[in-house]
């Protein structure tokens, strides 16, 4: 049987070997040296009759500046290219171009201290969750060089990726604390823009002020703004104004998370106030309202398997409130919180409207309408706590306005 011949190109000249290892087109390797932990390779472009970019006339070399670029590590050794550039002069006296430096984006982009392939690698790595500082250490370069490359190439990737964003009818705005800086920990906020329909992050705006956020939304193409049916926001007046001004036809929706957060804060505030009125001091361990503080947070309809003992918890909460909340104020606040939670779980629009009318809204005028106790102005009279506690699983929407 005839043995198949395996052929491979063999390079024997050291320059040829290094050129192939470096693997850049139209580049000549001038020198290699090891300086401490870093390998340094001197390179230059192969230029044949370079022409002026303006008049296409002949040029002559004026200078050979050397610029250092960080490249990908080779065999675990961080590499630096010392690119001996060509600064050229146009020989035509009429040409407005005097001098120019020849570059090559295949080697490195303008204003970037990393080679193109190192910059692309950085973008991929940061995209997969690695830190800039870690990559800077791997490449033996500065944090700033890696970050600049990331910004320059990342922007290009985002611009080129036109299929990243899907069509949407709902955009959400939310603020995020981005940075605390300086001796006084000055807070810097950013605005997160989300595609609520496709659960996708669209953009991050480095401020939460009206002009910038409104400009972002205003700058979106007409087919995006025109199709927008819902603007989702927290309870921020700024974001409300943004949607109101830029997309007035879109329905503004306050998202559930923020509403529930405020409901829980109000409930907790009520609990602490009642505690102070009843006992004259803040909650201490062993006191009924203090014991009830975590039970108040748990949603009556929670499906968490750890809350299987729901009826017992409910009975315990009722008992604690009967002891620590004789006027039923905390029970009322709890009922409102539960009604809001139930309202957000309702998928039937009519039932939701009914819950809204009967439960949430009516509770507020009711509490205001009840005459305060003259001895304790913050207390509300004529309230039966047991009648307000409708929090069993599957219960009807609670009648919060129990005085009816
Ligand atoms: Zn010229």
């Amino acid at each position: 049987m005839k043995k198949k011949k395996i052929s491979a190109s063999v390079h024997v000249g050291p320059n040829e070997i290094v050129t192939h290892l470096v693997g850049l087109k139209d580049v000549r390797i001038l020198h290699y040296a090891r300086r401490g932990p870093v390998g340094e390779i001197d390179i230059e472009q192969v230029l044949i009759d370079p022409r002026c970019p303006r008049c296409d006339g002949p040029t002559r070399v004026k200078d050979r500046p050397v610029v250092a670029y960080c490249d990908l590590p080779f065999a675990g050794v961080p590499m630096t290219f010392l690119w001996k550039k060509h600064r050229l002069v146009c020989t035509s006296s009429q040409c407005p171009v005097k001098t120019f430096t020849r570059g090559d984006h295949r080697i490195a982009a303008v204003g970037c201290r990393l080679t193109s392939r190192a910059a692309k690698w950085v973008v991929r790595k940061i995209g997969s969750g690695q830190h800039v500082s870690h990559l800077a250490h791997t490449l033996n370069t500065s944090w700033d060089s890696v970050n600049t490359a990331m910004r320059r190439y990342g922007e290009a990737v985002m611009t080129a990726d036109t299929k990243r964003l899907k069509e949407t009818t709902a955009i959400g705005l939310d603020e995020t604390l981005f940075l605390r800086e300086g001796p006084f920990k000055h807070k810097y906020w950013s605005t997160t823009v989300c595609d609520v329909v496709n659960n996708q992050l669209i953009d991050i705006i480095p401020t939460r002020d009206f002009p910038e956020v409104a400009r972002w939304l205003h700058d979106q193409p007409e087919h995006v703004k025109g199709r927008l049916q819902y603007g989702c926001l927290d309870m921020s007046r700024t974001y409300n104004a943004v949607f109101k001004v830029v997309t007035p036809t879109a329905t503004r929706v306050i998202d559930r998370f923020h509403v529930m957060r405020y409901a829980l804060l109000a409930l907790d505030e009520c609990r602490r106030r009642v505690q102070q009125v009843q006992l004259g001091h803040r909650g201490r361990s062993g006191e009924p309202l203090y014991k009830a503080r975590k039970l108040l947070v748990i949603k009556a309809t929670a499906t968490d398997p750890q809350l299987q003992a729901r009826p017992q918890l409910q009975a315990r909460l009722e008992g604690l409130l009967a002891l620590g909340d004789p006027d039923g104020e905390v029970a009322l606040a709890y009922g409102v919180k539960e009604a809001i939670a139930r309202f957000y779980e309702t998928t039937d629009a009519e039932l939701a409207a009914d819950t809204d009318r009967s439960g949430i809204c009516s509770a507020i005028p009711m509490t205001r309408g009840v005459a305060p106790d003259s001895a304790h102005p913050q207390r509300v009279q004529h309230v039966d706590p047991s009648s307000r506690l409708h929090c069993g699983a599957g219960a009807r929407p609670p009648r919060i306005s129990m005085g009816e």
Side-chain angles (χ1 to χ4, degrees), residues 51-59 89-98 100:
R51 312 297 288 187
C52 169
R54 187 71 175 261
C55 66
D56 203 33
T59 57
V89 185
C90 179
T91 50
S92 165
S93 56
Q94 262 83 51
C95 182
V97 172
K98 297 297 169 205
F100 63 96

Side-chain angles (χ1 to χ4, degrees), residues 303-324:
T303 51
D304 193 326
Q306 287 184 334
L307 298 174
Q308 288 303 317
R310 185 73 234 171
Q312 288 94 310
L313 293 177
Q314 203 56 55
R316 183 172 149 77
L317 177 62
E318 284 182 28
L320 289 170
L321 288 188
L323 285 171

Side-chain angles (χ1 to χ4, degrees), residues 32 55 63 81-82 101 131 143 171-172 188 192 208 218 232 235 319 333 341 365 368 393-394 402:
Y32 170 78
C55 66
D63 200 4
F81 280 162
L82 298 175
T101 307
H131 292 189
W143 186 95
I171 281 180
Y188 291 90
T192 311
R208 61 172 179 178
H218 183 264
C232 307
M235 287 174 162
R368 281 180 188 154
M402 297 311 293

Side-chain angles (χ1 to χ4, degrees), residues 121-130 150:
W121 178 80
V122 159
V123 171
R124 275 200 301 278
K125 287 290 172 187
I126 291 177
S128 68
Q130 291 207 16
M150 174 61 212

Side-chain angles (χ1 to χ4, degrees), residues 78 133 142 160 227 401:
S133 50
S142 66
R227 200 179 283 137
S401 51

